[in-house]
Amino acid sequence: TPLLMANHRNDSPSGLSDIEEGDGLLGTGLTTRHIEAFGRTVTSTAGHLIGPAEPNGTHYHNAISDIHRELRRPTTQRKVFSLTQTTATDLVRSKLSTSEIQSRALSSLSDDLLANIPDDTSSYSLFQGFQASLPEDDPSQKRSRRRNSKSTKRLKDVEKGGTLTAGPVALKEQRKSLSRRLDLMGIRKNMCSAEIHEIDNKIANLHKMRQIVLDRLAGLEKDEASLEHDLTELDNKLEDLEEEVETPELSVTAEATKSSEGQEGSITSSDPAMDASFMSESIYEKIPASSPKSLRQRSIRKRSMPILHEHFAPGSLIKEVNAHTDMITAIDFDYPFGTMVSAALDDTVRVWDMNVGRCTGFLEGHHASVRCLQVQDNIVATGSMDASVRLWDLSRARPATRDSRLNNHERDQLDDFDVPSPASTASNLEDCHVFSLDAHVDEVTAIHFKGDTLISGSADKTLRQWDLVNGRCVQTLDILWAATQSSSSMGDGNWRPSGRLPDASADFVGAVQCFDAALACGTADGMVRLWDLRSGQVHRSLVGHTGPVTSLQFDDVHMVTGSLDRSIRIWDLRTGSIYDAYAYDKPITSMMFDAKRIVAAAGENVVKVYDKADANHWDCGPGVGIDDQGPAPATVERVRLKDGYLVEGRKDGTMAAWTC
């Protein structure tokens, strides 16, 4: 339009003026003169735009200059840029109102989404909730309270004056105000209740999400265990191949050595000093070929550690297995979901893979039941009623034979907790025996080893210190002699300062633990003696228990002991005094503690747990929540605790793992 007007002013002066002067534009209509003037204007403009440029035609250049000048303005440039960046959808929305957009959005939803909109359970509107949520210090509420206080004061003044003309009005105002506040409180209560329901729903959803993640973690750990099993089989195959390669070389070396010995035999056979026949052949057989120290160096720990049990609630059952046919006498494991060894009065010692809850083999060699055992990495020490202590190296276990693999495959199709027969899997652990320590003359009731030192306690009333490198006894500690020396120094002729004889039905040595040169021993007279292995003397005696000591464990500061006198005592090793004590209804048969809890078997079908942090006592085990009318689980006899992972063994041979 500006271009048309500029063109009209320069080249056709009569066009626009004629249109403005004619009354047809403002009156009844357009005349022929108006149409002719408009045609001349359009023709002239088109001619200048399309035709060749005239030397004196400046209207076109003026119009273009005006356009360029307009585009150089910042406001115009911003408008142009915003227009270029605007999408078609925004252009359409700019032509619609907000209510129309909301209406179209609701109408475009599917019926399924509209059907899942939750119903509003509240009987109050949002505006009422907003009013109720206003603080009490709102100016309007202040004015209302001020007005109520004035009316109340006026009512009191009226009552004092004797006239009651204004009383009903003030009472009605006060009643209206109180009713209003009461309604607001009801709305607030409803809002709090709605928030609680919403939080409960969120908690339920979080629990479902947690269970889903736990199931995912369990699947990952199962796949992880399968991969580690396959990797172990490959390592065993590689070791077998390496041994097959080394065997021919060793045989050639042995033949060369034998031939050289044959050549020298004619020279040395006549010398009785060089003849080895003065030593019996059985002596050679008893000398160990290798020591547990070297075996422990090649012990291979699992590459991964299961963490699923850490996310269970305390007291949750992880696995349960019918392990033996008689009472469990000893159990121990190296770490959670690792390797566990159990012994019972059925004269068997079983090795378990705790990750799958399956027996992997038997440790055969003792001639009687095993009373005590300890597992450290791949080394297992067992003390038996046949007065011997045997050491086993589980890293020596060979892969199962073809027949045993077939049995394992068939057993996998059954319950995961099936116990195999000794004939099916005993062969893969037959090479694990290292050597036997034979020096006691009565049954071994307590053992503990740390590093290269093993301490064993026996019913022959002695403690023996063993060197695991050489496999021999290096020191014998006579408990009766030490007790006599202690009694004579205290002026008492009996073997215990209190004069009380030990319980004949209990083990004479109930528990031992050693660390470097320090040794703690609990005996049937209720005494806890602290020995110095360098001198072989009793350094200190802890007096307090009135019954045989059945279990003990110490750390840097405290020692915890359990006894048949139905108590657990915590001793301060710095002062030798009792730090704390807990009484139970029945005798303590087994006890162990970690950084957080103390667990004990106290003659019941539950494990007694004590939390150190909050001093809370609670029960864990099969007897929790069991109705008195149903069959009761067997009594728990042995407990072991490591890193919040609890394993308990019962009188009927059942074992179970719990989170603790």
Side-chain angles (χ1 to χ4, degrees), residues 512-541:
V512 293
Q513 183 181 351
C514 63
F515 182 79
D516 290 339
L519 169 64
C521 169
T523 52
D525 61 341
M527 295 284 290
V528 179
R529 295 177 174 85
L530 307 181
W531 300 72
D532 188 350
L533 293 178
R534 295 168 295 186
S535 62
Q537 301 293 327
V538 176
H539 177 66
R540 180 179 294 174
S541 298

Side-chain angles (χ1 to χ4, degrees), residues 30 40-41 50 75 78-79 87 110 118 139 150 171 210 279 320 340 395 462 468 470 472 507 572 586 588 646 653:
L30 295 175
R40 286 194 301 270
T41 302
I50 299 175
T75 306
R78 284 196 296 268
K79 291 180 179 180
T87 61
S110 62
K150 289 182 179 179
L171 288 176
R210 185 177 187 272
M279 293 184 66
E320 187 174 7
M340 180 177 65
S395 64
T462 62
L468 296 185
N470 300 318
R472 61 187 181 88
D507 295 333
D572 191 338
K586 295 182 180 180
I588 305 298
L646 170 66

Side-chain angles (χ1 to χ4, degrees), residues 213-225 308:
V213 177
L214 279 178
D215 295 340
R216 191 187 310 161
L217 178 60
L220 290 174
E221 290 193 348
K222 185 177 180 180
D223 297 339
E224 184 182 56
L308 182 62

Side-chain angles (χ1 to χ4, degrees), residues 235-510:
D235 291 339
N236 293 331
K237 290 180 181 179
L238 288 175
E239 290 180 0
D240 293 340
L241 291 176
E242 291 176 357
E243 291 179 359
E244 290 178 359
V245 172
E246 293 176 357
T247 300
E249 299 178 357
L250 294 176
S251 62
V252 172
T253 306
E255 291 179 359
T257 305
K258 188 181 296 183
S259 62
S260 62
E261 289 178 354
Q263 293 175 1
E264 297 176 357
S266 59
I267 303 175
T268 60
S269 59
S270 60
D271 190 0
M274 303 298 295
D275 191 2
S277 61
F278 67 93
M279 293 184 66
S280 63
E281 188 176 354
S282 60
I283 296 296
Y284 285 110
E285 293 178 354
K286 290 185 178 180
I287 297 178
S290 59
S291 65
K293 184 177 181 181
S294 61
L295 295 174
R296 197 176 295 115
Q297 290 175 354
R298 69 188 186 107
S299 170
I300 300 176
R301 193 177 179 87
K302 291 183 68 176
R303 290 177 171 84
S304 60
M305 286 292 294
I307 60 173
L308 182 62
H309 69 286
E310 299 177 0
H311 305 283
F312 290 159
S316 300
L317 176 63
I318 300 176
K319 291 183 184 298
E320 187 174 7
V321 50
N322 297 321
H324 295 269
T325 59
D326 208 335
M327 186 180 71
I328 304 293
T329 56
I331 52 175
D332 196 15
F333 59 94
D334 51 3
Y335 53 89
F337 291 94
T339 301
M340 180 177 65
V341 180
S342 64
L345 291 180
D346 57 4
D347 297 341
T348 60
V349 181
R350 302 177 187 265
V351 181
W352 301 85
D353 184 355
M354 301 171 67
N355 197 25
V356 296
R358 183 179 294 115
C359 178
T360 60
F362 294 76
L363 300 179
E364 295 180 337
H366 284 291
H367 304 293
S369 298
V370 170
R371 294 292 311 278
C372 53
L373 62 88
Q374 182 184 349
V375 179
Q376 188 71 33
D377 292 334
N378 283 334
I379 304 301
V380 181
T382 55
S384 172
M385 297 175 67
D386 61 5
S388 68
V389 177
R390 290 179 179 265
L391 261 71
W392 317 79
D393 183 12
L394 299 182
S395 64
R396 289 185 171 188
R398 299 296 180 184
T401 61
R402 185 174 182 273
D403 295 336
S404 61
R405 285 175 184 162
L406 181 60
N407 291 331
N408 289 333
H409 177 69
E410 293 174 352
R411 191 168 58 254
D412 289 341
Q413 297 177 356
L414 302 175
D415 189 4
D416 283 343
F417 300 144
D418 285 344
V419 179
S421 61
S424 62
T425 57
S427 59
N428 61 353
L429 294 179
E430 61 183 3
D431 298 328
C432 292
H433 181 257
V434 180
F435 49 72
S436 179
L437 307 176
D438 300 318
H440 287 290
V441 296
D442 206 340
E443 61 178 290
V444 178
T445 57
I447 61 171
H448 186 270
F449 70 90
K450 186 72 174 179
D452 296 330
T453 300
L454 185 144
I455 303 296
S456 61
S458 172
D460 60 7
K461 301 178 178 56
T462 62
L463 299 172
R464 292 186 181 268
Q465 179 183 356
W466 304 86
D467 183 4
L468 296 185
V469 176
N470 300 318
R472 61 187 181 88
C473 179
V474 297
Q475 185 174 198
T476 301
L477 305 176
D478 192 338
I479 300 177
L480 289 179
W481 181 84
T484 304
Q485 295 296 320
S486 176
S487 300
S488 61
S489 64
M490 298 182 66
D492 192 347
N494 294 317
W495 81 287
R496 188 184 189 278
S498 64
R500 184 167 42 254
L501 295 177
D503 188 355
S505 62
D507 295 333
F508 187 87
V509 180

